[in-house]
Amino acid sequence: MAGAIIENMSTKKLCIVGGILLVFQVIAFLVGGLIAPSPTTAVPYTSVKCIDVRKNHHKAKWLVPWGHNHCEKLKDFDEAVSRQIEANDIVFAVHIPLPNKEMSPWFQFMLFIMQLDIAFKMDNDLKDNAEITLDVSLAYRDNVFDEWEEIAHAIEIRRLKCTFGSPKTLESEGRHYDCDFLPFMEIGSVAHKYYLINIRLPVNERKGINVGIGEIKDIRLVGIHQNGGFTKVWFAMKTFLTPSILIIMVWYWRRITLMTRAPVLLEKVIFALGISMTFINIPVEWFSIGFDWTWMLLFGDIRQGIFYAMLLSFWIIFCGEHMMDQNERNRLSGYWKQVGPIAVGSFCLFIFDMCERGVQLKNPFYSIWTTEVGTELAMAFIIVAGICLCLYFLFLCFMVFQVFRNISGKQSSLPAMSKARRLHYEGLIFRFKFLMLITLACAAMTVIFFIVSQVTEGHWKWGDITIQVNSAFFTGIYGMWNLYVFALMFLYAPSHKNYGEDQSNGDLGVNSGEELQLTTTITHVDGPTEVYKLARKEAQE
């Protein structure tokens, strides 16, 4: 009777905890959907054609498209021909932001893509696999009357991928090619109010520079930055979740250190997962509001990579610890075949990120995708990482199948036990299956919301209520994985409750002093979990 009461209390508390976590999960989605604006904003810019006929003009001054001391402008290239202005004396100038606006550190980053307006002309046709050479410079200032200060200058080459939908005849002259967007620039902070981009297309027929690229009419840029309102909501979530995970981590490790035994491997991995989640949560982004930290994008990628590598490792070890026998269990070396692909895949993605965003710390105009060698190298890293991910999921699916088969096979022995002891084992098995179900649901929700955010227009409108789908995806999934880690440490923290010798030797049929688990544990004081024992015996058989 006592065992049944204990298990009922356990199930009731587990349901209460699950309900509370579900409420917080709904709140996380609503915060992004109803409070936060769209995560990013895209702003189109059309360059202004400026004239600079002086020698060494780039080093002499910056050409501003409008405002104080604006440049002398060209309406179009026909005017340049009539005035005998050479291509090397034309500068495409773009001022960021648009007139009467200011940039803000709350925008966090700037990403620019380029689109070229290229017209067909019989005597100046676009060659196959043509490459365009760009002499680009980036500057900033914080006052409209200050001098521009250079941030970066580079000479970049971009491959043109264009198609022409009409026959190349005299009647088609003046029609534009359909060209793919080109990666242009990415900078990891927005520390200044105003930015200026100067683009030159140097022509050198002897060296074949910018020859056979067609007749370029205009250069257009699309600037993408994070919305300030979303940044504030994001920072608030990080600030709230950081102490929450830290508190449960301290509580969890304190419960482990009070045990008479050393921590088992699963407990160590759960704690490491909590550390990696905390590493993501710590809101160091607050400092980016006051400091020009261009490395924040790379740092964010590294933090996410560490967490996901730790999460994938946890799933493997979690399944393995419920399947292997006593000799193989509780040793990290026993999982090298499964954890190896995670390490190799993570390393490949890290190298790829360093080759892209690492180089952009010095040259924001750099892109690994602009050259054939860079593209092949990037694809090689991504393909290897993809193969490792596929191998990992094959291992994981096999291990999950093995665990459920072992536990289900051993359930046939439960009817022979006393009622109280049988209820106790059934509760433990239920918790294991419950956690596996939650894990599957979290992974499925991540994939589903990612797909929805990609195929929808970015928001749903129900009457007077507008739901920002993309913002809800970011805040909801971020909150979900925090709640997942929180639940892991709460459910797997060792219990110190003992129900005495009478109960142990009576209704439960267990040894004196053997600890019973309630809502916050599956691990016993002196040894492996009872689910471990059941699964291990089945594996040995």
Side-chain angles (χ1 to χ4, degrees), residues 172-193:
S172 300
E173 281 197 347
R175 295 183 180 179
H176 286 199
Y177 286 86
D178 183 12
C179 297
D180 292 348
F181 284 97
L182 302 175
F184 181 68
M185 183 186 75
E186 184 174 29
I187 187 169
S189 69
V190 189
H192 306 287
K193 294 181 179 180

Side-chain angles (χ1 to χ4, degrees), residues 44 60 62 112 142 161 165 182 190 204 238 256 289 305 316 356 370 384 391 403 406 412 423 454 461 487 510 513 524:
W62 295 86
F112 284 85
D142 293 305
K161 296 181 179 179
L182 302 175
V190 189
N204 189 321
K238 281 177 167 281
I256 292 175
I289 304 302
I316 284 290
E356 178 80 359
T370 58
V384 171
L391 291 175
V403 172
N406 293 345
S412 59
L423 290 173
Q454 297 300 307
K461 195 170 183 64
V510 296
H524 281 258

Side-chain angles (χ1 to χ4, degrees), residues 48-58 61 63 71-74 77 80-81 83-93 135 198-204 210:
V48 173
K49 292 175 277 294
C50 296
I51 305 172
D52 190 1
V53 295
R54 297 170 302 142
K55 294 181 179 180
N56 300 322
H57 37 251
H58 170 70
K61 74 167 190 176
L63 300 180
C71 67
E72 182 182 356
K73 304 176 185 178
L74 282 173
F77 283 98
V81 173
R83 295 174 57 179
Q84 297 183 345
I85 298 174
E86 297 181 358
N88 288 326
D89 297 326
I90 299 175
V91 178
F92 297 85
D135 185 343
N198 280 181
I199 307 172
R200 299 176 185 272
L201 304 178
V203 177
N204 189 321
N210 285 335

Side-chain angles (χ1 to χ4, degrees), residues 89-133:
D89 297 326
I90 299 175
V91 178
F92 297 85
V94 177
H95 187 283
I96 304 165
L98 297 173
N100 302 320
K101 296 182 181 294
E102 293 181 356
M103 302 301 286
S104 168
W106 292 102
F107 294 164
Q108 291 294 287
F109 69 89
M110 290 191 298
L111 171 67
F112 284 85
I113 55 178
M114 172 187 286
Q115 185 177 29
L116 299 175
D117 291 344
I118 304 177
F120 168 71
K121 199 169 184 180
M122 292 292 293
D123 59 353
N124 188 14
D125 191 14
L126 178 65
K127 295 181 179 179
D128 294 335
N129 300 318
E131 292 184 342
I132 184 171
T133 300

